[in-house]
Amino acid sequence: MSEATRGAEAIDFGPDAQDLLWLSQDLVAVFDADDRLCAANPAYCETFDCDPAEAPSWRQIMRRNHAMRQGALIAAEDFEGWLAAAAASRGQVAFRAYEAALHDGRWLWITETVAPDGRMLVHATDVTRLRSESLALRSERDAAQRASWTDPLTGVPNRRFVMDRLERWLDQQPRHGTFGTHALAVMDLDRFKQVNDLYGHTVGDAVLVSFCRITTASIRAVDLFGRFGGEEFVLFMPNCPMDTARARLERLQQALASAVVSRDQPALRCTFSAGLVAMRRDKDVHHAIRRADRLLYRAKADGRACVRMEV
């Protein structure tokens, strides 16, 4: 057994299924709610040069493969920008399917199935034998679809995508039984207009991009983060107690306060204000956002750089 596949023994599907998955040329992997690889068969490990025993994150796997020019072929000039956008869309729907090209010339048809607790099953099949013209057309279609729900500056989901996913999520929740605690925050960068006025829109854009990259690096795969417009953002944290959600926002505030958000203005620091509410099963998404907005205004009035939460 190769060094890259030792950790794949962690899969426990029963002896019969275990043998089949081990022998299969299809790629099979499981990521946990924090988007770390916890199980994979040899085909997946060898393609992406990873070992589940090390519990690498999906971001780490992609960065390593990109640096070594193996695994997925990423054509974007700004790899970190692409990575932030791709990470923001992972785990946002219960099931999705897409195609991906590999450095070795193969094309994969990949499906992602997400469990309610955030675990993700990844299954990929080699579809290289399909006509290249057909693959190219579908690749263009997928790119156009991604562009329709992605904010072009920051690469994170836009308002249209966030609202659609939130409404779908709420519709899919059981009408009976325990609803659970699900936190939603509306966030607004503090004094952002002054940044644009003092340093120009190029620096302002850099601040927005940096904020999004720092945020997407800190959230779970099941969380939903997107730009609502201007300097306003929404972060949805399913199955997250309110105190935990507030602590996560405060840790993000600390990370942002110490980060360089613009290479042109390395001394510039950024903060945000936020309103935090719990989703309600008997209310629509717009109701939750309006409540969070009111708390956001209170945070601004209380001096900014703080989180105000429903009690």
Side-chain angles (χ1 to χ4, degrees):
M1 187 185 308
S2 69
E3 187 71 16
T5 61
R6 285 185 298 107
E9 292 178 306
I11 304 178
D12 183 12
F13 294 99
D16 295 335
Q18 172 77 33
D19 291 344
L20 291 173
L21 286 170
W22 194 265
L23 294 171
S24 176
Q25 295 302 303
D26 282 0
L27 285 60
V28 182
V30 177
F31 287 82
D32 65 16
D34 293 321
D35 215 10
R36 291 189 171 275
L37 184 67
C38 53
N41 72 346
Y44 188 95
C45 292
E46 291 169 4
T47 297
F48 293 104
D49 189 25
C50 55
D51 183 354
E54 299 173 354
S57 69
W58 178 80
R59 285 171 175 261
Q60 290 173 327
I61 294 172
M62 297 305 293
R63 283 197 180 101
R64 182 191 307 164
N65 278 251
H66 183 68
M68 298 177 65
R69 299 185 64 81
Q70 64 182 30
L73 179 62
I74 310 302
E77 293 183 4
D78 179 7
F79 172 74
E80 286 299 323
W82 174 90
L83 189 63
S89 66
R90 279 176 63 82
Q92 298 307 316
V93 292
F95 176 85
R96 71 169 181 165
Y98 57 94
E99 290 165 343
L102 301 182
H103 275 282
D104 62 15
R106 286 182 292 162
W107 277 83
L108 298 180
W109 176 252
I110 303 175
T111 63
E112 296 175 350
T113 304
V114 181
D117 63 5
R119 290 173 301 144
M120 178 188 295
L121 171 67
V122 178
H123 175 258
T125 301
D126 188 338
V127 293
T128 310
R129 291 184 179 180
L130 294 176
R131 293 176 57 191
S132 60
E133 295 87 350
S134 178
L135 288 170
L137 287 172
R138 286 196 297 277
S139 179
E140 291 178 2
R141 176 205 62 196
D142 292 343
Q145 186 178 46
R146 286 193 298 272
S148 72
W149 52 257
T150 301
D151 176 60
L153 173 64
T154 63
V156 301
N158 60 21
R159 183 188 186 104
R160 172 185 172 186
F161 181 87
V162 171
M163 291 300 296
D164 178 71
R165 289 298 179 267
L166 284 174
E167 289 168 355
R168 289 189 187 186
W169 176 88
L170 195 57
D171 287 342
Q172 292 169 357
Q173 299 312 297
R175 299 302 175 185
H176 304 285
T178 303
F179 180 64
T181 303
H182 314 284
L184 182 141
V186 174
M187 311 153 70
D188 190 89
L189 297 185
D190 296 325
R191 297 184 173 89
F192 185 72
K193 185 177 184 300
Q194 293 182 17
V195 172
N196 279 330
D197 291 344
L198 287 173
Y199 304 111
H201 288 280
T202 299
V203 171
D205 288 350
V207 170
L208 292 171
V209 171
S210 296
F211 172 69
C212 289
R213 290 185 179 177
I214 293 168
T215 302
T216 55
S218 71
I219 63 178
R220 304 170 299 172
V222 294
D223 295 336
L224 174 61
F225 172 68
R227 184 183 182 189
F228 254 39
E231 62 270 28
E232 186 174 88
F233 300 84
V234 166
L235 175 61
F236 174 57
M237 296 167 277
N239 298 307
C240 184
M242 294 295 286
D243 288 340
T244 301
R246 180 170 188 166
R248 291 177 62 193
L249 289 173
E250 290 173 347
R251 286 196 297 272
L252 175 61
Q253 188 83 267
Q254 294 170 2
L256 186 67
S258 61
V260 174
V261 293
S262 169
R263 293 181 180 178
D264 294 335
Q265 297 293 332
L268 178 64
R269 293 297 181 265
C270 182
T271 62
F272 66 86
S273 301
L276 179 65
V277 301
M279 293 285 285
R280 298 176 184 172
R281 179 165 44 191
D282 59 340
K283 300 294 184 180
D284 63 20
V285 175
H286 296 278
H287 183 268
I289 291 175
R290 286 196 297 270
R291 287 158 44 218
D293 263 333
R294 288 195 290 269
L295 289 167
L296 169 62
Y297 296 144
R298 187 187 305 172
K300 293 286 189 182
D302 289 346
R304 300 181 175 86
C306 60
V307 179
R308 290 295 174 259
M309 180 177 72
E310 281 183 332
V311 295

